[in-house]
Amino acid sequence: MTEHIVRSYDAELESLRRSLAEMGGMSERMLGDSTVALVRRDTTLAQKVISADQRLDNLQRDVEERAVLTIARRQPLANDLRELISAIRIASDIERVGDLAKNIAKRAVAISGQFSPPHRAVVGLEHMSRLVQAQLKDVLDAYATSNEQKALEVWHRDGEIDALYTSLFRELLTYMMEDPRNITFCTHLLFCAKNVERIGDHTTNIAETIHYLVTGESLDINRPKLETTDITVEAVTGS
Amino acid sequence: MTEHIVRSYDAELESLRRSLAEMGGMSERMLGDSTVALVRRDTTLAQKVISADQRLDNLQRDVEERAVLTIARRQPLANDLRELISAIRIASDIERVGDLAKNIAKRAVAISGQFSPPHRAVVGLEHMSRLVQAQLKDVLDAYATSNEQKALEVWHRDGEIDALYTSLFRELLTYMMEDPRNITFCTHLLFCAKNVERIGDHTTNIAETIHYLVTGESLDINRPKLETTDITVEAVTGS
């Protein structure tokens, strides 16, 4: 194998990593913007998030195609094969983060004309979204720097998000029971909270992929949420 | 290439298709059982669905690994590469169908002790789930027989599911507004309805993969839902 071919193979991997970094940055912005759009009832910002999703979908398809073609063309061995499989998996998780953020943005549009529930209801969601934004940023940094320790920290923190979701779920049900005029708005907030929780799950998936990438092994012990959430809580929220 | 190697490559593809057929059958049963568990408040059946999900996850990982190793080892050309990429994509969609059915089963457990809303509320969900079960069965048959026409029919019918979801969403909000005691139960039903709708989206994804597998082209025109659901309806349900 000539030096030229080796370099060009590295260039392919490098280009995939750059696309993933771009996708990661987009998904972070989409989550942040969709939350601001929801809190401030800013439908213009919401529309911006909705439009951005198409580009993220295209990038994901592109990463997947390039990674598969590289696998087919180069017959990579263990390490490089893991790098390519990881790129495919992480692209898929980021793409779904974008879908979930888009869904929050659509709900921001849906509730823009609705009766306003207590502002506390939105504050809880904003807080939860900030935590998940930090998780997403940390896990993407961990991937960019192949920092398995940092990825594991993200993985262990997922329990906090689940606990917040459970408490927010109960709080929103309370507002709905207090005043039926809150029902439509709070229902949308419930779905938004669920979306944010699911984005948290995707950051955990990415952390697991980084572990696999760096160590070659699967993180197949139980998810952190099983340590911190008991079955009763699970039964309440169906998470 | 000897006859022996060719046969063994076909055997690998055949074995992947068998695993996918097993996964498909499992996901169909999980959706059917979780719906029955919800309607009859059968927590034993719900637990069965919850336990089944682990096996489906393992099968998905297994299909993904085998398909990638085959790509890396055999350097397949266009047709065979499409077959392997399609197997990876379809396994991922089926695995998510299983996750969503498991979530319905968890909610069946969560609401087993709750105040019962009007039976009509559950009937609407059961009807929607039956339609999606038929879609899932049809698209899996279409894959097993490489029937692109049948896959396209499934793809075009997704609009019906979305319309049903929108009407069910409104109906459930009405029950919640009529009597606050319905709120917890109906909230879980709303999430179940959303899960069923998302399973419908996965059958559409599988139909798109079959189209790609058979024709080599992406079905990148707009999803059928955009033809049948206008922006107002989308805004109401956030779908």
Side-chain angles (χ1 to χ4, degrees), chain A residues 64 73 89 103 110 198 235 238, chain B residues 64 75 89 103 110 198 235 238:
Chain A
E64 191 182 78
R73 240 188 278 126
R89 287 191 187 154
N103 188 266
R198 286 172 58 208
Chain B
E64 192 181 76
Q75 300 191 281
R89 287 190 187 155
N103 188 266
R198 285 172 59 210

Side-chain angles (χ1 to χ4, degrees), chain A residues 163-182:
Chain A
L164 254 181
Y165 171 67
T166 303
S167 108
L168 191 55
F169 184 93
R170 287 183 170 151
E171 191 184 336
L172 290 169
L173 284 190
T174 309
Y175 299 137
M176 290 158 88
M177 287 172 197
E178 274 171 14
D179 185 343
R181 288 174 302 173
N182 291 335

Side-chain angles (χ1 to χ4, degrees), chain A residues 61 64 68-69 71-76 81 85 89 96 103 106-107 109-110 165 169 173 176-177 180 183-184 187-188 190-191 194 198 218 234-239, chain B residues 61 64 68-69 71-76 81 85 89 96 103 106-107 109-110 165 169 173 176-177 180 183-184 187-188 190-191 194 198 218 234-239:
Chain A
R61 272 292 151 113
E64 191 182 78
V68 169
L69 283 177
I71 295 173
R73 240 188 278 126
R74 308 267 186 180
Q75 298 190 284
L81 189 56
I85 293 171
R89 287 191 187 154
R96 285 194 259 155
N103 188 266
K106 282 187 174 179
R107 291 181 190 280
V109 174
Y165 171 67
F169 184 93
L173 284 190
M176 290 158 88
M177 287 172 197
I183 287 177
T184 303
T187 298
H188 283 295
L190 273 175
F191 276 103
K194 185 74 195 169
R198 286 172 58 208
S218 286
E234 233 184 37
V236 170
T237 60
S239 67
Chain B
R61 273 291 151 115
E64 192 181 76
V68 169
L69 283 177
I71 295 174
R73 240 188 279 126
R74 308 268 185 180
Q75 300 191 281
L81 189 56
I85 294 171
R89 287 190 187 155
R96 286 195 257 156
N103 188 266
K106 282 187 173 180
R107 292 182 189 279
V109 174
Y165 171 68
F169 184 93
L173 285 190
M176 290 159 87
M177 288 173 197
I183 288 177
T184 304
T187 298
H188 283 295
L190 273 176
F191 277 102
K194 185 74 194 168
R198 285 172 59 210
S218 288
E234 232 183 39
V236 170
T237 61
S239 66

Side-chain angles (χ1 to χ4, degrees), chain B residues 19-38:
Chain B
S19 296
L20 281 166
E22 184 187 349
M23 288 182 69
M26 284 185 69
S27 70
E28 284 182 58
R29 266 194 307 284
M30 287 173 74
L31 173 58
D33 286 351
S34 65
T35 307
V36 170
L38 191 73

Side-chain angles (χ1 to χ4, degrees), chain A residues 120-176:
Chain A
R120 301 191 301 285
V122 182
V123 170
L125 185 77
E126 195 180 13
H127 176 58
M128 186 178 162
S129 173
R130 281 234 188 83
L131 263 184
V132 174
Q133 285 170 53
Q135 291 272 87
L136 185 57
K137 186 181 180 313
D138 284 351
V139 88
L140 292 168
D141 287 351
Y143 175 64
T145 56
S146 298
N147 186 337
E148 198 250 340
Q149 194 51 48
K150 193 168 186 173
L152 267 184
E153 282 165 28
V154 169
W155 192 79
H156 281 293
R157 281 204 309 267
D158 191 51
E160 290 174 41
I161 312 272
D162 290 337
L164 254 181
Y165 171 67
T166 303
S167 108
L168 191 55
F169 184 93
R170 287 183 170 151
E171 191 184 336
L172 290 169
L173 284 190
T174 309
Y175 299 137
M176 290 158 88

